[in-house]
PDB file of all heavy atoms in Angstrom:
ATOM      1  N   ALA A1141     -25.204  25.519  28.308  1.00 96.00           N
ATOM      2  CA  ALA A1141     -26.096  25.116  29.407  1.00 96.00           C
ATOM      3  C   ALA A1141     -26.071  23.616  29.607  1.00 96.00           C
ATOM      4  O   ALA A1141     -26.138  23.133  30.743  1.00 96.00           O
ATOM      5  CB  ALA A1141     -27.520  25.595  29.082  1.00 96.00           C
ATOM      6  N   LEU A1142     -25.943  22.872  28.516  1.00 96.00           N
ATOM      7  CA  LEU A1142     -25.938  21.391  28.612  1.00 96.00           C
ATOM      8  C   LEU A1142     -24.713  20.910  29.382  1.00 96.00           C
ATOM      9  O   LEU A1142     -24.853  20.074  30.284  1.00 96.00           O
ATOM     10  CB  LEU A1142     -25.957  20.808  27.213  1.00 96.00           C
ATOM     11  CG  LEU A1142     -25.819  19.292  27.121  1.00 96.00           C
ATOM     12  CD1 LEU A1142     -26.951  18.590  27.859  1.00 96.00           C
ATOM     13  CD2 LEU A1142     -25.802  18.835  25.646  1.00 96.00           C
ATOM     14  N   ILE A1143     -23.536  21.383  29.045  1.00 94.00           N
ATOM     15  CA  ILE A1143     -22.333  20.866  29.730  1.00 94.00           C
ATOM     16  C   ILE A1143     -22.236  21.375  31.168  1.00 94.00           C
ATOM     17  O   ILE A1143     -21.602  20.732  32.013  1.00 94.00           O
ATOM     18  CB  ILE A1143     -21.039  21.212  28.962  1.00 94.00           C
ATOM     19  CG1 ILE A1143     -20.910  22.693  28.683  1.00 94.00           C
ATOM     20  CG2 ILE A1143     -20.961  20.422  27.653  1.00 94.00           C
ATOM     21  CD1 ILE A1143     -19.637  23.095  27.959  1.00 94.00           C
ATOM     22  N   TYR A1144     -22.890  22.487  31.458  1.00 93.00           N
ATOM     23  CA  TYR A1144     -22.930  22.918  32.864  1.00 93.00           C
ATOM     24  C   TYR A1144     -24.028  22.179  33.656  1.00 93.00           C
ATOM     25  O   TYR A1144     -24.068  22.252  34.878  1.00 93.00           O
ATOM     26  CB  TYR A1144     -23.167  24.425  32.951  1.00 93.00           C
ATOM     27  CG  TYR A1144     -21.914  25.218  33.182  1.00 93.00           C
ATOM     28  CD1 TYR A1144     -21.370  26.052  32.227  1.00 93.00           C
ATOM     29  CD2 TYR A1144     -21.219  25.088  34.402  1.00 93.00           C
ATOM     30  CE1 TYR A1144     -20.196  26.751  32.434  1.00 93.00           C
ATOM     31  CE2 TYR A1144     -20.037  25.789  34.632  1.00 93.00           C
ATOM     32  CZ  TYR A1144     -19.525  26.618  33.670  1.00 93.00           C
ATOM     33  OH  TYR A1144     -18.374  27.307  33.865  1.00 93.00           O
ATOM     34  N   THR A1145     -24.904  21.499  32.942  1.00 93.00           N
ATOM     35  CA  THR A1145     -25.961  20.710  33.588  1.00 93.00           C
ATOM     36  C   THR A1145     -25.506  19.275  33.838  1.00 93.00           C
ATOM     37  O   THR A1145     -25.783  18.691  34.880  1.00 93.00           O
ATOM     38  CB  THR A1145     -27.229  20.703  32.723  1.00 93.00           C
ATOM     39  OG1 THR A1145     -27.678  22.067  32.546  1.00 93.00           O
ATOM     40  CG2 THR A1145     -28.350  19.906  33.389  1.00 93.00           C
ATOM     41  N   GLN A1146     -24.811  18.681  32.875  1.00 90.00           N
ATOM     42  CA  GLN A1146     -24.353  17.297  32.990  1.00 90.00           C
ATOM     43  C   GLN A1146     -23.059  17.120  32.181  1.00 90.00           C
ATOM     44  O   GLN A1146     -22.986  17.493  31.025  1.00 90.00           O
ATOM     45  CB  GLN A1146     -25.420  16.350  32.459  1.00 90.00           C
ATOM     46  CG  GLN A1146     -25.748  15.158  33.364  1.00 90.00           C
ATOM     47  CD  GLN A1146     -24.601  14.151  33.455  1.00 90.00           C
ATOM     48  OE1 GLN A1146     -23.786  14.023  32.547  1.00 90.00           O
ATOM     49  NE2 GLN A1146     -24.568  13.373  34.541  1.00 90.00           N
ATOM     50  N   TYR A1147     -22.048  16.551  32.834  1.00 88.00           N
ATOM     51  CA  TYR A1147     -20.736  16.414  32.168  1.00 88.00           C
ATOM     52  C   TYR A1147     -20.830  15.644  30.843  1.00 88.00           C
ATOM     53  O   TYR A1147     -20.129  15.945  29.882  1.00 88.00           O
ATOM     54  CB  TYR A1147     -19.778  15.637  33.069  1.00 88.00           C
ATOM     55  CG  TYR A1147     -19.340  16.375  34.299  1.00 88.00           C
ATOM     56  CD1 TYR A1147     -19.092  15.715  35.503  1.00 88.00           C
ATOM     57  CD2 TYR A1147     -19.150  17.779  34.298  1.00 88.00           C
ATOM     58  CE1 TYR A1147     -18.659  16.372  36.638  1.00 88.00           C
ATOM     59  CE2 TYR A1147     -18.701  18.443  35.411  1.00 88.00           C
ATOM     60  CZ  TYR A1147     -18.486  17.747  36.590  1.00 88.00           C
ATOM     61  OH  TYR A1147     -18.075  18.403  37.706  1.00 88.00           O
ATOM     62  N   TYR A1148     -21.708  14.662  30.772  1.00 90.00           N
ATOM     63  CA  TYR A1148     -21.798  13.820  29.567  1.00 90.00           C
ATOM     64  C   TYR A1148     -22.311  14.634  28.375  1.00 90.00           C
ATOM     65  O   TYR A1148     -22.232  14.151  27.235  1.00 90.00           O
ATOM     66  CB  TYR A1148     -22.710  12.615  29.807  1.00 90.00           C
ATOM     67  CG  TYR A1148     -22.005  11.492  30.541  1.00 90.00           C
ATOM     68  CD1 TYR A1148     -21.609  11.651  31.873  1.00 90.00           C
ATOM     69  CD2 TYR A1148     -21.752  10.279  29.940  1.00 90.00           C
ATOM     70  CE1 TYR A1148     -20.971  10.649  32.551  1.00 90.00           C
ATOM     71  CE2 TYR A1148     -21.118   9.249  30.601  1.00 90.00           C
ATOM     72  CZ  TYR A1148     -20.727   9.439  31.929  1.00 90.00           C
ATOM     73  OH  TYR A1148     -20.096   8.437  32.604  1.00 90.00           O
ATOM     74  N   GLY A1149     -22.824  15.823  28.615  1.00 93.00           N
ATOM     75  CA  GLY A1149     -23.223  16.674  27.515  1.00 93.00           C
ATOM     76  C   GLY A1149     -22.059  17.011  26.604  1.00 93.00           C
ATOM     77  O   GLY A1149     -22.262  17.255  25.403  1.00 93.00           O
ATOM     78  N   ALA A1150     -20.834  16.993  27.155  1.00 93.00           N
ATOM     79  CA  ALA A1150     -19.648  17.256  26.325  1.00 93.00           C
ATOM     80  C   ALA A1150     -19.494  16.224  25.233  1.00 93.00           C
ATOM     81  O   ALA A1150     -18.970  16.500  24.141  1.00 93.00           O
ATOM     82  CB  ALA A1150     -18.406  17.286  27.205  1.00 93.00           C
ATOM     83  N   LEU A1151     -19.963  14.985  25.493  1.00 93.00           N
ATOM     84  CA  LEU A1151     -19.886  13.940  24.462  1.00 93.00           C
ATOM     85  C   LEU A1151     -20.822  14.242  23.308  1.00 93.00           C
ATOM     86  O   LEU A1151     -20.499  14.007  22.155  1.00 93.00           O
ATOM     87  CB  LEU A1151     -20.253  12.584  25.081  1.00 93.00           C
ATOM     88  CG  LEU A1151     -19.348  12.110  26.215  1.00 93.00           C
ATOM     89  CD1 LEU A1151     -19.827  10.764  26.739  1.00 93.00           C
ATOM     90  CD2 LEU A1151     -17.902  11.996  25.745  1.00 93.00           C
ATOM     91  N   LEU A1152     -22.019  14.770  23.619  1.00 96.00           N
ATOM     92  CA  LEU A1152     -22.943  15.161  22.574  1.00 96.00           C
ATOM     93  C   LEU A1152     -22.383  16.317  21.749  1.00 96.00           C
ATOM     94  O   LEU A1152     -22.432  16.299  20.490  1.00 96.00           O
ATOM     95  CB  LEU A1152     -24.289  15.554  23.156  1.00 96.00           C
ATOM     96  CG  LEU A1152     -25.370  16.012  22.118  1.00 96.00           C
ATOM     97  CD1 LEU A1152     -25.674  14.860  21.193  1.00 96.00           C
ATOM     98  CD2 LEU A1152     -26.613  16.511  22.838  1.00 96.00           C
ATOM     99  N   LEU A1153     -21.782  17.303  22.415  1.00 96.00           N
ATOM    100  CA  LEU A1153     -21.198  18.419  21.681  1.00 96.00           C
ATOM    101  C   LEU A1153     -20.019  17.954  20.806  1.00 96.00           C
ATOM    102  O   LEU A1153     -19.874  18.441  19.668  1.00 96.00           O
ATOM    103  CB  LEU A1153     -20.686  19.511  22.662  1.00 96.00           C
ATOM    104  CG  LEU A1153     -21.778  20.154  23.517  1.00 96.00           C
ATOM    105  CD1 LEU A1153     -21.161  21.294  24.335  1.00 96.00           C
ATOM    106  CD2 LEU A1153     -22.933  20.668  22.679  1.00 96.00           C
ATOM    107  N   THR A1154     -19.235  17.003  21.292  1.00 95.00           N
ATOM    108  CA  THR A1154     -18.140  16.454  20.485  1.00 95.00           C
ATOM    109  C   THR A1154     -18.691  15.756  19.251  1.00 95.00           C
ATOM    110  O   THR A1154     -18.174  15.926  18.143  1.00 95.00           O
ATOM    111  CB  THR A1154     -17.319  15.474  21.325  1.00 95.00           C
ATOM    112  OG1 THR A1154     -16.829  16.116  22.480  1.00 95.00           O
ATOM    113  CG2 THR A1154     -16.128  14.966  20.497  1.00 95.00           C
ATOM    114  N   ALA A1155     -19.775  14.959  19.425  1.00 96.00           N
ATOM    115  CA  ALA A1155     -20.381  14.277  18.283  1.00 96.00           C
ATOM    116  C   ALA A1155     -20.902  15.304  17.254  1.00 96.00           C
ATOM    117  O   ALA A1155     -20.759  15.082  16.034  1.00 96.00           O
ATOM    118  CB  ALA A1155     -21.517  13.370  18.773  1.00 96.00           C
ATOM    119  N   ILE A1156     -21.486  16.391  17.747  1.00 96.00           N
ATOM    120  CA  ILE A1156     -21.999  17.418  16.853  1.00 96.00           C
ATOM    121  C   ILE A1156     -20.860  18.105  16.076  1.00 96.00           C
ATOM    122  O   ILE A1156     -20.978  18.376  14.886  1.00 96.00           O
ATOM    123  CB  ILE A1156     -22.833  18.464  17.645  1.00 96.00           C
ATOM    124  CG1 ILE A1156     -24.120  17.810  18.150  1.00 96.00           C
ATOM    125  CG2 ILE A1156     -23.145  19.660  16.764  1.00 96.00           C
ATOM    126  CD1 ILE A1156     -24.886  18.701  19.106  1.00 96.00           C
ATOM    127  N   ILE A1157     -19.758  18.387  16.777  1.00 95.00           N
ATOM    128  CA  ILE A1157     -18.605  19.009  16.086  1.00 95.00           C
ATOM    129  C   ILE A1157     -18.057  18.061  15.026  1.00 95.00           C
ATOM    130  O   ILE A1157     -17.734  18.492  13.898  1.00 95.00           O
ATOM    131  CB  ILE A1157     -17.494  19.318  17.145  1.00 95.00           C
ATOM    132  CG1 ILE A1157     -17.997  20.424  18.088  1.00 95.00           C
ATOM    133  CG2 ILE A1157     -16.237  19.774  16.449  1.00 95.00           C
ATOM    134  CD1 ILE A1157     -18.379  21.716  17.449  1.00 95.00           C
ATOM    135  N   VAL A1158     -17.973  16.785  15.323  1.00 94.00           N
ATOM    136  CA  VAL A1158     -17.535  15.771  14.323  1.00 94.00           C
ATOM    137  C   VAL A1158     -18.472  15.837  13.113  1.00 94.00           C
ATOM    138  O   VAL A1158     -18.028  15.844  11.954  1.00 94.00           O
ATOM    139  CB  VAL A1158     -17.512  14.378  14.929  1.00 94.00           C
ATOM    140  CG1 VAL A1158     -17.287  13.330  13.831  1.00 94.00           C
ATOM    141  CG2 VAL A1158     -16.408  14.281  15.983  1.00 94.00           C
ATOM    142  N   PHE A1159     -19.759  15.895  13.394  1.00 94.00           N
ATOM    143  CA  PHE A1159     -20.755  15.949  12.310  1.00 94.00           C
ATOM    144  C   PHE A1159     -20.589  17.198  11.483  1.00 94.00           C
ATOM    145  O   PHE A1159     -20.613  17.154  10.242  1.00 94.00           O
ATOM    146  CB  PHE A1159     -22.153  15.898  12.911  1.00 94.00           C
ATOM    147  CG  PHE A1159     -23.232  16.349  11.970  1.00 94.00           C
ATOM    148  CD1 PHE A1159     -23.625  15.578  10.881  1.00 94.00           C
ATOM    149  CD2 PHE A1159     -23.857  17.591  12.133  1.00 94.00           C
ATOM    150  CE1 PHE A1159     -24.605  15.986   9.998  1.00 94.00           C
ATOM    151  CE2 PHE A1159     -24.830  18.019  11.239  1.00 94.00           C
ATOM    152  CZ  PHE A1159     -25.208  17.217  10.188  1.00 94.00           C
ATOM    153  N   LEU A1160     -20.404  18.383  12.107  1.00 93.00           N
ATOM    154  CA  LEU A1160     -20.283  19.625  11.370  1.00 93.00           C
ATOM    155  C   LEU A1160     -19.050  19.616  10.469  1.00 93.00           C
ATOM    156  O   LEU A1160     -19.088  20.055   9.325  1.00 93.00           O
ATOM    157  CB  LEU A1160     -20.237  20.810  12.353  1.00 93.00           C
ATOM    158  CG  LEU A1160     -21.588  21.152  13.009  1.00 93.00           C
ATOM    159  CD1 LEU A1160     -21.379  22.230  14.055  1.00 93.00           C
ATOM    160  CD2 LEU A1160     -22.611  21.580  11.996  1.00 93.00           C
ATOM    161  N   PHE A1161     -17.913  19.131  11.000  1.00 92.00           N
ATOM    162  CA  PHE A1161     -16.716  19.046  10.166  1.00 92.00           C
ATOM    163  C   PHE A1161     -16.896  18.066   9.015  1.00 92.00           C
ATOM    164  O   PHE A1161     -16.363  18.251   7.924  1.00 92.00           O
ATOM    165  CB  PHE A1161     -15.506  18.718  11.004  1.00 92.00           C
ATOM    166  CG  PHE A1161     -14.903  19.913  11.712  1.00 92.00           C
ATOM    167  CD1 PHE A1161     -14.893  20.005  13.085  1.00 92.00           C
ATOM    168  CD2 PHE A1161     -14.349  20.969  10.980  1.00 92.00           C
ATOM    169  CE1 PHE A1161     -14.351  21.101  13.728  1.00 92.00           C
ATOM    170  CE2 PHE A1161     -13.800  22.065  11.598  1.00 92.00           C
ATOM    171  CZ  PHE A1161     -13.798  22.147  12.969  1.00 92.00           C
ATOM    172  N   TRP A1162     -17.655  17.002   9.287  1.00 91.00           N
ATOM    173  CA  TRP A1162     -17.974  16.046   8.237  1.00 91.00           C
ATOM    174  C   TRP A1162     -18.758  16.734   7.118  1.00 91.00           C
ATOM    175  O   TRP A1162     -18.451  16.572   5.931  1.00 91.00           O
ATOM    176  CB  TRP A1162     -18.806  14.891   8.826  1.00 91.00           C
ATOM    177  CG  TRP A1162     -19.160  13.807   7.869  1.00 91.00           C
ATOM    178  CD1 TRP A1162     -20.071  13.896   6.820  1.00 91.00           C
ATOM    179  CD2 TRP A1162     -18.649  12.474   7.830  1.00 91.00           C
ATOM    180  NE1 TRP A1162     -20.155  12.704   6.174  1.00 91.00           N
ATOM    181  CE2 TRP A1162     -19.313  11.812   6.755  1.00 91.00           C
ATOM    182  CE3 TRP A1162     -17.737  11.785   8.602  1.00 91.00           C
ATOM    183  CZ2 TRP A1162     -19.051  10.476   6.449  1.00 91.00           C
ATOM    184  CZ3 TRP A1162     -17.489  10.454   8.296  1.00 91.00           C
ATOM    185  CH2 TRP A1162     -18.112   9.809   7.229  1.00 91.00           C
ATOM    186  N   GLU A1163     -19.752  17.551   7.495  1.00 87.00           N
ATOM    187  CA  GLU A1163     -20.536  18.284   6.503  1.00 87.00           C
ATOM    188  C   GLU A1163     -19.711  19.327   5.763  1.00 87.00           C
ATOM    189  O   GLU A1163     -19.895  19.563   4.565  1.00 87.00           O
ATOM    190  CB  GLU A1163     -21.739  18.944   7.177  1.00 87.00           C
ATOM    191  CG  GLU A1163     -22.741  17.962   7.778  1.00 87.00           C
ATOM    192  CD  GLU A1163     -23.233  16.952   6.763  1.00 87.00           C
ATOM    193  OE1 GLU A1163     -23.727  17.335   5.691  1.00 87.00           O
ATOM    194  OE2 GLU A1163     -23.092  15.723   7.042  1.00 87.00           O
ATOM    195  N   ILE A1164     -18.787  19.940   6.500  1.00 87.00           N
ATOM    196  CA  ILE A1164     -17.897  20.932   5.870  1.00 87.00           C
ATOM    197  C   ILE A1164     -17.062  20.272   4.763  1.00 87.00           C
ATOM    198  O   ILE A1164     -16.854  20.844   3.685  1.00 87.00           O
ATOM    199  CB  ILE A1164     -16.999  21.595   6.927  1.00 87.00           C
ATOM    200  CG1 ILE A1164     -17.830  22.504   7.820  1.00 87.00           C
ATOM    201  CG2 ILE A1164     -15.865  22.394   6.266  1.00 87.00           C
ATOM    202  CD1 ILE A1164     -17.093  22.984   9.066  1.00 87.00           C
ATOM    203  N   MET A1165     -16.563  19.067   5.046  1.00 83.00           N
ATOM    204  CA  MET A1165     -15.736  18.369   4.042  1.00 83.00           C
ATOM    205  C   MET A1165     -16.562  17.867   2.870  1.00 83.00           C
ATOM    206  O   MET A1165     -16.050  17.775   1.770  1.00 83.00           O
ATOM    207  CB  MET A1165     -15.012  17.216   4.706  1.00 83.00           C
ATOM    208  CG  MET A1165     -13.909  17.633   5.662  1.00 83.00           C
ATOM    209  SD  MET A1165     -12.932  16.221   6.287  1.00 83.00           S
ATOM    210  CE  MET A1165     -14.176  15.339   7.228  1.00 83.00           C
ATOM    211  N   ARG A1166     -17.839  17.564   3.109  1.00 80.00           N
ATOM    212  CA  ARG A1166     -18.681  17.007   2.052  1.00 80.00           C
ATOM    213  C   ARG A1166     -19.151  18.036   1.029  1.00 80.00           C
ATOM    214  O   ARG A1166     -19.338  17.720  -0.142  1.00 80.00           O
ATOM    215  CB  ARG A1166     -19.932  16.372   2.675  1.00 80.00           C
ATOM    216  CG  ARG A1166     -19.710  14.991   3.263  1.00 80.00           C
ATOM    217  CD  ARG A1166     -20.987  14.482   3.878  1.00 80.00           C
ATOM    218  NE  ARG A1166     -22.080  14.448   2.905  1.00 80.00           N
ATOM    219  CZ  ARG A1166     -22.358  13.393   2.148  1.00 80.00           C
ATOM    220  NH1 ARG A1166     -21.602  12.315   2.197  1.00 80.00           N
ATOM    221  NH2 ARG A1166     -23.370  13.438   1.303  1.00 80.00           N
ATOM    222  N   SER A1167     -19.306  19.287   1.448  1.00 74.00           N
ATOM    223  CA  SER A1167     -19.891  20.268   0.544  1.00 74.00           C
ATOM    224  C   SER A1167     -19.180  21.613   0.680  1.00 74.00           C
ATOM    225  O   SER A1167     -18.810  22.032   1.767  1.00 74.00           O
ATOM    226  CB  SER A1167     -21.386  20.436   0.867  1.00 74.00           C
ATOM    227  OG  SER A1167     -21.938  21.468   0.094  1.00 74.00           O
ATOM    228  N   ALA A1168     -19.028  22.280  -0.452  1.00 65.00           N
ATOM    229  CA  ALA A1168     -18.412  23.594  -0.438  1.00 65.00           C
ATOM    230  C   ALA A1168     -19.428  24.709  -0.164  1.00 65.00           C
ATOM    231  O   ALA A1168     -19.049  25.836   0.161  1.00 65.00           O
ATOM    232  CB  ALA A1168     -17.753  23.853  -1.795  1.00 65.00           C
ATOM    233  N   GLU A1169     -20.694  24.384  -0.239  1.00 76.00           N
ATOM    234  CA  GLU A1169     -21.740  25.394  -0.017  1.00 76.00           C
ATOM    235  C   GLU A1169     -21.760  25.826   1.429  1.00 76.00           C
ATOM    236  O   GLU A1169     -21.811  25.000   2.354  1.00 76.00           O
ATOM    237  CB  GLU A1169     -23.136  24.818  -0.398  1.00 76.00           C
ATOM    238  CG  GLU A1169     -24.240  25.854  -0.328  1.00 76.00           C
ATOM    239  CD  GLU A1169     -25.574  25.254  -0.717  1.00 76.00           C
ATOM    240  OE1 GLU A1169     -25.608  24.055  -1.042  1.00 76.00           O
ATOM    241  OE2 GLU A1169     -26.557  25.994  -0.699  1.00 76.00           O
ATOM    242  N   ASN A1170     -21.673  27.103   1.668  1.00 81.00           N
ATOM    243  CA  ASN A1170     -21.703  27.699   3.008  1.00 81.00           C
ATOM    244  C   ASN A1170     -20.545  27.210   3.888  1.00 81.00           C
ATOM    245  O   ASN A1170     -20.604  27.294   5.108  1.00 81.00           O
ATOM    246  CB  ASN A1170     -23.014  27.361   3.729  1.00 81.00           C
ATOM    247  CG  ASN A1170     -24.214  28.021   3.048  1.00 81.00           C
ATOM    248  OD1 ASN A1170     -24.161  29.159   2.666  1.00 81.00           O
ATOM    249  ND2 ASN A1170     -25.262  27.247   2.868  1.00 81.00           N
ATOM    250  N   ARG A1171     -19.506  26.718   3.249  1.00 86.00           N
ATOM    251  CA  ARG A1171     -18.382  26.190   4.010  1.00 86.00           C
ATOM    252  C   ARG A1171     -17.768  27.227   4.936  1.00 86.00           C
ATOM    253  O   ARG A1171     -17.452  26.969   6.079  1.00 86.00           O
ATOM    254  CB  ARG A1171     -17.320  25.627   3.047  1.00 86.00           C
ATOM    255  CG  ARG A1171     -16.059  25.094   3.769  1.00 86.00           C
ATOM    256  CD  ARG A1171     -15.076  24.473   2.769  1.00 86.00           C
ATOM    257  NE  ARG A1171     -15.665  23.264   2.164  1.00 86.00           N
ATOM    258  CZ  ARG A1171     -15.052  22.621   1.153  1.00 86.00           C
ATOM    259  NH1 ARG A1171     -13.930  23.075   0.655  1.00 86.00           N
ATOM    260  NH2 ARG A1171     -15.589  21.546   0.652  1.00 86.00           N
TER     261      ARG A1171
END
């Protein structure tokens, strides 16, 4: 809904994906 509302929402989703992969690399729990 965010990216269909405003194009710049894609930047927030990209930042979140970077964060999630960062967390995946930091911990094996729930990886």
Side-chain angles (χ1 to χ4, degrees):
L1142 175 60
I1143 54 178
Y1144 260 112
T1145 300
Q1146 228 291 334
Y1147 291 146
Y1148 280 67
L1151 300 179
L1152 179 62
L1153 297 186
T1154 304
I1156 292 172
I1157 294 300
V1158 170
F1159 163 73
L1160 287 175
F1161 278 115
W1162 182 289
E1163 295 306 305
I1164 289 168
M1165 290 187 295
R1166 280 179 58 90
S1167 174
E1169 185 179 1
N1170 295 315
R1171 177 177 294 173

